[in-house]
Structures are given as structure tokens and as C-alpha cells.
Amino acid sequence: MTTVDAPRRIPQAPPGAQRPPSFLTLDDVSRWYGDVIALNNVSLEIGPGVTGLLGPNGAGKSTLIRLVTGLASPGTGRVRLDGAPIRNHLPTLARIGHVPDGDGLYDDLPASRFLTEQAYARGFARTAAAERAAACLERVGLAEAAERKAGSFSKGMRQRLKLAQALLHDPDLLVLDEPLTGLDPMMRRSFIAVVRQLGDEGVTVLVSSHVLHEIEAMTNTIVLLHHGQVLAEGTVPHIRDLLDTYDRRIRIATPRPRELACELLAQDEIVAGVSVAEQSLIVETQRPDRLCAMVQQLAADGRHAISALEPLDEDLDSVFSYLVN
Amino acid sequence: MQSTNAGRMRGARLVLMLILIALPLLIQTAVLIWGEGRGGSFDGFVKRIQGAYLGFALPLLLIFLGTSAFGDEWEGGTAAYVVGLPLPRWTLVIGRWLVTVRRALVFVLPAVGLMYVLCLIDYEGAIGHYMGDLLWIGAGVCLMGLGYGAVFLFLGLVLRRPVVVAFLIYLIELFVSYLPQSFARTALSYHVRNLLWLQTGHARFLDRGVELGLATDPVSTGGSIFAVVLYVTIFLSLATFVLTRRECSGSVAPPEGGGSSG
């Protein structure tokens, strides 16, 4: 973890110190806007590492982000970081970094000046603030554009500047609201790499998106929101395991798919359906563990050559479709 | 892009401010060159300060600057960078208020000084003679800036389209300040004029109630200063209260009674 100068007021861990894990908790949180309920009785605990907040537009993601960054109050329930309240609670706010959605930046300010002022307002001394700003610009790949005004930045550069701003004070909780919007593939990759690295460093990172593969590229731990409620939370395979009412689809690569299909169909308590393709077959089952054991046994007995055995619907797209539909 | 629009708005405001400040000076310069001495006197100076700067340019500048002190942050989608800072809200409010007043005074105080010179340059020794009065007028301009700055900053926080409403409120306040009896004493501009009348003795700043013989007991210098301080304290406290409670959507103005963005 990069640690630059001691700030004026905010205590900071010495270089090399282990970051204590931070936990964000929401207890029975609800929030209304007039008659519209944006969040409905949401309870969550989010720990160190990257957690994806996923849901379609209108699911309540932005409301949840506003609550955990202290920009809004819950109607009922409590939002806390390591047991401490967030909204209007300055010590907690000092531990949170936020990349807001939207395009708002101070267009008339050079990137370095914007970050220096932000760092100064966050408690760094003038010199330390400038050094910290330079370090953060370097980290997000904007060092060469440091003296350019934000108004001249591309969308991707603006997103990276917002990330740099959120990293200035080395936050324990980093919240990113739709951070990949408008980024080209190269920038997207580098942005994702930074987020993953922060997660590996022990920062509690919450990333919202309505694009499944964006979240999948950053983390395997997700919270699914729909109509203001938590539909599911955990790792993608774990959530998939919860869906035992749905058949799982497993692809088996073999040179003789028809023969293997006949043998599998005889096991009607395990296999619900089979579709045969060239050099492979797709099996639908509610007992994937037993199916895998059976196929492995067939391969071990030398009756079939199996070159691949892979689940087809453990990706986030499939999980989300199952849950929402 | 919202923040670019906000930047264009700031540019337009700057041009308007320069026009507001420069126009009386240009007129006075023209009068000085071609007017054969007309308008050149301390009385003329007070007339222009009262009409052009205290009564018009300064309040208008503060309406633009005060209402945008926080309003621009919400309009431009940058509010999250301000209210997300781990700073007490009252420090944010006082910081913005002082910056707002400083910006206005940076324009107005030099203009007042220049107008003083333009009005008295033809009279030998007059510039030095009235220097004490000029300093009191400068102090009055500062007090008015501090008072109106607090009022319009508060209005910028609570209103969605604050400029028009702030202008109407200013007109009402100005009207009240010229009412006889104790009505006028509720107005901020009354106390600034009263202070200047008491210190310079110039009839243009005279309390209308006193002028009409209706007010028997004019407010003292200390009383007027206290009234301005009270105004500032009340409106900055209200602004702090509103900023503490106000929610932020991050990119655009918060939903008006409903709806969420995601």
C-alpha cells in the first residue's frame, strides 16, 4: 500500500502496516422517495475485497451507494462502517472513497490542482497533498495529463480522475458507482486491474453496475438487487447452488457423444435431458455432483474418452436470468 | 456536459459583473471629461455609491455569487466531492461565504475607490479631506457584502431556481428598508445606511423615519452592527442546518419527491 506523508489531522497507518479489515453493514435498511420504495428492508454485510453490486436500472443500486457513502439517510434501519454510523459522521467519512456516477468534475481546474485541493481538504499538509495527488494520478495512469484541465479530458480520463480522487486518502471503504461507463476496452482493463489490486490489498470495495460481465471481470462476490431488495448474495457458484429447482447444464466433450448420451439417459434419476452436438453433448441435471462422478467413472473404466466437463450456467448472466425471471 | 454548462454560466456571470461594476465608472469618466464639472463632489460620490453600488451592483453581484456558492455544485454534479469531505458542515458554509463575499468585494471596493477619485479629482484637497468618510463607506460596503452574502448563500441552498427569487426578496427588503417607523429596522440595508449616516452625517444615508420625523430614536452604530451580525449568524446557521440535512444524488439534482436512478 502506498503511504505518503502524514496528514494534518487524519491518523494514518505507518508504511507496511497491515490494514485492519473493514466491514460495511446494512441492517434492515429501507428508503422511500415519496411513494416509491427504492430500498426495501435490505440487510447486508460486506467485507474486505471486491464486492459487486448488481442489478438492472431502478433496482436501488444508486440509492444504496448514496446511503453507504453518507450522501443520503436511510428511511429506516442502520448503515454502518465497522459499527460506526456514516452520514454526517466525520471520522467514518474520512475512511470512505467514492467514485460517483455521472460526469461531474471541476472542468476549469487542472487535474493535479483538483486532487491537491481535495487532499488538502481531507487533512493533508500542502506539500503532502501535492505529493499525494501526483502519486494517485500516477496510479491511475494520468501523470502526463496532470496539468491539463479536467474539461479537456475524455470520458475515460474523467473516470480515472474520479478514481484518483477516491484513492487520495487511502480509504478503507471504496465505493464505485458504475465506474466503467464510457471506458474503452484498454482503459476498462486497466481500471479493472486497479480495482482488483485494491481488493487484494484488503480494501473493502463495493462496485455497482448493471452490466454483468463488468462485475464478473472484477469479482466473484456479488450482491444482486432487484426492485429494492437483495435477491441473492455470495459467490456466483454459491448462488448458483441455491438454485436447485433449476436444471444445471453441463457440457461434456467426447468423440462419441451419441453413445454417451444413450448411457446417460438410462440414468433418469440423474439426467433430465440431453442434447447432442458434434463432439460434445449438453446434459441437463439437478444432480451435477452425481453426474460428474458418473462421467468420471465412465472415463476411468475406459468406456468413453472425456476431454472436457464444464458447467455452462455458472456465469453471472445465467444466474441473474434465473433469479430475475 | 453539466459542469461545462456551469462553466459557461460562470463566464456569463463574470461578464455581467464586470459590466455592472464598470458602467457607473465609465459614465462618471464621461461626465468628468465632457460634463464641465457636473457630478463632481462628495455629494455626487455618495449619490453614485448609494445608487449604483450599495443599492444595485453589490446586491446583484451577491445574488449571482451567493446563490451559486453551493448551487453550482448540485447543478454541475460535483456536490459529492464537497459534502463527502470529512469536514464539519459549518466550516464548509463559512468557507464558501467568505469566498463569495471576497469575490464581490474584489470587484466593488476598487470601483468605490476609483469612483471617489473620479468625483473629487477636480477639487484640490478634497480627496484627503473626505478620506475618513471613504473608509466608513468602505466598511459599510463590506458589512453589506457580509450580510447579503449570508442571505443569498442560504437561498442558493434551499431553492432550485434561486436567482429570480433572491432578486425579488432583495427588492422587498429594499422596499422595507425605506419604510418609516420600525419596519425599516428589520431590513439589512437599513442598518448599513444608518451606520453610514451616523458616521458620515450625509443626508443621503438618512433614516427615512428620522427624515419624516416619525422615528424619534434612531438605531445606534453598535445597534446597526449588531443587527448585521445577527443577520449573518441567523442565515449562516440556517445554511449549515440545510447543508447537514440536504441529500446528494452525485450527478444531478436530487429527485423531487420521488424516483431513484438505479
Side-chain angles (χ1 to χ4, degrees):
Chain A
M1 175 96 11
T2 315
T3 309
V4 182
D5 284 18
R8 281 175 294 147
R9 296 185 299 271
I10 304 163
Q12 199 173 31
Q18 189 71 30
R19 177 191 291 276
S22 290
F23 290 91
L24 173 70
T25 49
L26 288 87
D27 295 325
D28 298 324
V29 171
S30 297
R31 173 66 207 240
W32 291 264
Y33 291 105
D35 294 335
V36 180
I37 187 158
L39 281 179
N40 187 3
N41 221 25
V42 169
S43 292
L44 283 173
E45 184 174 71
I46 295 166
V50 182
T51 301
L53 181 63
L54 190 65
N57 287 329
K61 299 190 300 295
S62 292
T63 300
L64 194 144
I65 294 277
R66 286 200 284 273
L67 297 184
V68 303
T69 50
L71 298 178
S73 308
T76 60
R78 293 191 312 180
V79 184
R80 290 176 174 258
L81 180 63
D82 293 333
I86 294 176
R87 183 158 162 82
N88 291 329
H89 192 252
L90 305 184
T92 316
L93 285 177
R95 298 173 55 206
I96 298 174
H98 178 208
V99 177
D101 66 342
D103 205 30
L105 276 174
Y106 297 98
D107 287 344
D108 299 335
L109 287 184
S112 61
R113 171 90 190 279
F114 167 53
L115 294 190
T116 304
E117 294 298 332
Q118 282 278 311
Y120 184 68
R122 285 191 171 273
F124 287 87
R126 272 286 172 202
T127 320
E131 288 171 4
R132 188 70 194 158
C136 288
L137 284 169
E138 180 80 43
R139 182 164 196 183
V140 300
L142 281 179
E144 290 183 1
E147 297 312 316
R148 278 176 56 190
K149 287 184 177 177
S152 69
F153 279 11
S154 68
K155 174 75 181 174
M157 293 167 84
R158 295 172 78 85
Q159 288 296 91
R160 284 188 283 161
L161 180 57
K162 284 156 64 179
L163 178 62
Q165 167 273 142
L167 298 177
L168 278 171
H169 52 297
D170 201 13
D172 294 327
L173 169 65
L174 178 64
V175 183
L176 305 102
D177 198 355
E178 306 274 1
L180 302 181
T181 309
L183 297 189
D184 64 39
M186 284 291 288
M187 286 181 181
R188 193 174 289 241
R189 197 181 306 162
S190 64
F191 202 104
I192 288 169
V194 172
V195 171
R196 291 178 73 126
Q197 190 190 352
L198 288 163
D200 293 342
E201 287 169 0
V203 179
T204 301
V205 184
L206 180 64
V207 193
S208 89
S209 178
H210 63 280
V211 183
L212 306 177
H213 64 84
E214 285 183 359
I215 294 285
E216 242 179 342
M218 282 185 264
T219 180
N220 205 26
T221 308
I222 57 168
V223 173
L224 285 168
L225 272 185
H226 194 54
H227 291 316
Q229 290 184 303
V230 176
L231 215 54
E233 59 174 304
T235 61
V236 176
H238 169 71
I239 291 171
R240 185 61 187 83
D241 286 343
L242 298 175
L243 302 172
D244 51 7
T245 56
Y246 289 90
D247 288 336
R248 308 276 289 273
R249 294 164 66 236
I250 292 172
R251 177 179 168 275
I252 304 169
T254 174
R256 295 184 294 126
R258 289 181 186 283
E259 287 85 339
L260 180 58
C262 290
E263 285 201 44
L264 292 177
L265 282 170
Q267 306 291 325
D268 58 355
E269 78 278 14
I270 299 174
V271 177
V274 174
S275 56
V276 178
E278 194 179 338
Q279 303 280 306
S280 71
L281 70 161
I282 294 167
V283 183
E284 291 175 10
T285 178
Q286 288 195 11
R287 310 292 300 273
D289 48 341
R290 287 190 60 189
L291 175 74
C292 289
M294 192 173 78
V295 172
Q296 281 164 5
Q297 188 60 50
L298 289 171
D301 293 348
R303 290 160 62 187
H304 289 278
I306 307 294
S307 57
L309 183 68
E310 58 182 2
L312 291 179
D313 47 9
E314 284 192 354
D315 64 295
L316 201 45
D317 225 330
S318 311
V319 170
F320 195 70
S321 298
Y322 284 138
L323 288 166
V324 173
N325 297 323
Chain B
M1 210 151 43
Q2 287 173 341
S3 38
T4 305
N5 285 340
R8 275 197 286 270
M9 281 292 290
R10 278 195 291 275
R13 277 185 216 136
L14 184 67
V15 172
L16 190 63
M17 285 192 287
L18 288 173
I19 292 172
L20 278 174
I21 297 301
L23 201 59
L25 291 172
L26 291 174
I27 292 169
Q28 184 58 33
T29 307
V31 167
L32 189 68
I33 296 170
W34 295 294
E36 295 171 354
R38 275 176 292 171
S41 64
F42 188 72
D43 186 57
F45 165 67
V46 170
K47 191 176 169 185
R48 275 154 189 74
I49 292 303
Q50 170 79 341
Y53 291 112
L54 280 179
F56 189 66
L58 181 62
L60 216 56
L61 278 183
L62 286 163
I63 285 173
F64 288 131
L65 295 172
T67 55
S68 64
F70 283 104
D72 276 0
E73 303 286 358
W74 265 268
E75 285 285 318
T78 52
Y81 304 121
V82 177
V83 295
L85 289 171
L87 295 172
R89 294 296 178 256
W90 65 266
T91 61
L92 292 175
V93 168
I94 287 184
R96 288 294 166 105
W97 170 62
L98 290 175
V99 167
T100 299
V101 176
R102 189 197 65 187
R103 279 182 183 161
L105 295 182
V106 158
F107 285 102
V108 175
L109 284 178
V112 169
L114 200 53
M115 182 64 84
Y116 178 75
V117 173
L118 288 173
C119 288
L120 299 181
I121 196 162
D122 278 349
Y123 301 87
E124 195 179 334
I127 289 180
H129 179 75
Y130 290 108
M131 193 55 78
D133 288 346
L134 175 68
L135 291 177
W136 272 110
I137 288 172
V141 168
C142 293
L143 269 183
M144 188 172 257
L146 292 169
Y148 279 141
V151 173
F152 297 136
L153 182 138
F154 166 71
L155 291 177
L157 264 172
V158 294
L159 299 172
R160 264 168 204 286
R161 299 277 179 268
V163 173
V164 176
V165 179
F167 189 66
L168 289 175
I169 287 175
Y170 165 66
L171 290 180
I172 293 167
E173 193 265 357
L174 192 66
F175 173 73
V176 170
S177 77
Y178 280 104
L179 287 175
Q181 302 276 16
S182 52
F183 291 114
R185 294 174 190 191
T186 59
L188 178 72
S189 52
Y190 163 84
H191 289 285
V192 174
R193 285 202 313 275
N194 182 60
L195 181 72
L196 293 179
W197 170 57
L198 290 173
Q199 296 307 318
T200 66
H202 205 284
R204 285 204 176 270
F205 297 123
L206 187 60
D207 177 356
R208 183 125 175 92
V210 174
E211 191 181 4
L212 296 174
L214 296 170
T216 52
D217 190 17
V219 179
S220 65
T221 301
S224 280
I225 291 174
F226 175 76
V228 175
V229 171
L230 191 64
Y231 247 90
V232 167
T233 308
I234 288 171
F235 280 95
L236 290 185
S237 303
L238 287 172
T240 304
F241 177 75
V242 171
L243 189 64
T244 305
R245 294 183 58 84
R246 182 153 183 186
E247 297 194 342
C248 174
S249 68
S251 58
V252 290
E256 205 160 17
S260 71
S261 62

